[in-house]
Amino acid sequence: MGNFDAFESALFAEARSMTDWNARNKFCPSCGSPVYSLWAGWKLSCSSLLPWADNTGRKPCATAQGLHNFEHPRTDAVVVMAVTDESGEKILLGRNKPWPKKFWSCLSGFLEPGESFEDAVKRELWEEAGVRVWNVRYRTTLPWPFPSTLLTGFYATASSAEPLRTDLDNELEDARWYTREEILRVLNGAQDPSAESSINVPPPTMPAGVLIREWAHGGEGGPPGTSGKREDTWTKAF
Ligand SMILES: [Zn+2]
């Protein structure tokens, strides 16, 4: 995914998500009858509704009513958050337990039913790092078809004076604030790779990579008055 341009990436994401969704959903969630695919795979409907279906002795499927007689492909939104402190000079990064050694990135998590993106950003940062955030701003989106995710990138602000906690949901191995100078050293390849403190961050084709680079180079999420100088790495790449 990281090597595709925007057009190829969108084609692949659509094809993979649609194939996966059709392959996984074989039965009506209402009555258990097999479903059939229509509209070239973009909808699934209950086979008990077909004119030749034999429904003797069965209650009519509840999906026979109104718009409920179709199942549509799903998209599961993930929020990816670049949290900077009030000065705009520090960014919060974390490490998930299964990640490769030295890999650090923005915190992220799935949107829950009934949540706005803003609420999801606030909840996830509280759960994963014990951080309360405000000033949530949308920045970028990337379809991520494994199997049907939409990565959405946000900026938010928090106080770096408050303690970080990773024991609330135990998802992160570690979380810490990095200074702009530290991140610029990483991006400019100026770290000593053998040093204990050296780290890797996501590529500029991923939302987290866009947010980290844009902030580090003085764009959105930076100190007050700098948000006009947007790096636009992601847009530029495509
Ligand atoms: Zn049914």
Side-chain angles (χ1 to χ4, degrees):
M1 279 297 286
N3 293 328
F4 288 149
D5 67 21
F7 182 72
E8 287 174 329
S9 169
L11 277 185
F12 176 74
E14 179 183 317
R16 195 190 183 288
S17 293
M18 294 302 299
T19 309
D20 180 88
W21 179 70
N22 272 267
R24 283 183 202 238
N25 294 278
K26 295 296 186 194
F27 298 95
C28 172
S30 179
C31 75
S33 301
V35 291
Y36 66 97
S37 182
L38 67 165
W39 288 28
W42 282 81
K43 286 184 179 182
L44 298 173
S45 190
C46 179
S47 60
S48 77
L49 307 181
L50 292 168
W52 54 85
D54 179 5
N55 296 318
T56 317
R58 301 177 54 175
K59 278 198 242 170
C61 176
T63 65
Q65 301 295 321
L67 284 175
H68 304 291
N69 60 345
F70 295 118
E71 260 203 275
H72 296 272
R74 59 189 284 174
T75 297
D76 305 316
V78 163
V79 285
V80 179
M81 296 88 65
V83 180
T84 58
D85 75 344
E86 288 153 304
S87 72
E89 288 301 319
K90 289 182 183 169
I91 191 167
L92 177 66
L93 299 183
R95 263 189 60 71
N96 269 28
K97 289 176 179 167
W99 286 356
K101 211 167 163 269
K102 290 178 178 282
F103 186 81
W104 288 70
S105 185
C106 295
L107 275 51
S108 64
F110 279 99
L111 187 83
E112 291 184 351
E115 266 184 337
S116 66
F117 284 120
E118 290 83 353
D119 287 343
V121 166
K122 291 175 184 173
R123 176 186 51 75
E124 278 292 338
L125 286 162
W126 172 250
E127 281 179 8
E128 291 193 358
V131 169
R132 295 200 186 278
V133 300
W134 61 92
N135 194 18
V136 177
R137 289 101 72 203
Y138 166 77
R139 172 61 180 93
T140 188
T141 298
L142 177 68
W144 190 250
F146 304 102
S148 49
T149 299
L150 185 69
L151 302 176
T152 54
F154 289 85
Y155 288 107
T157 309
S159 165
S160 56
E162 301 293 324
L164 297 174
R165 292 183 58 183
T166 54
D167 61 316
L168 295 174
D169 72 354
N170 254 329
E171 212 170 287
L172 295 184
E173 181 182 275
D174 202 1
R176 60 158 283 197
W177 292 94
Y178 281 90
T179 65
R180 186 189 304 276
E181 197 188 335
E182 285 175 306
I183 296 298
L184 283 173
R185 264 207 305 274
V186 175
L187 298 179
N188 296 335
Q191 304 177 103
D192 171 4
S194 64
E196 191 59 31
S197 60
S198 69
I199 65 165
N200 299 313
V201 295
T205 45
M206 298 294 294
V210 173
L211 298 171
I212 292 169
R213 280 166 182 78
E214 190 171 82
W215 165 78
H217 293 126
E220 194 83 36
T226 58
S227 59
K229 290 190 277 169
R230 188 174 256 196
E231 249 311 92
D232 250 344
T233 327
W234 173 242
T235 318
K236 216 187 301 173
F238 301 126

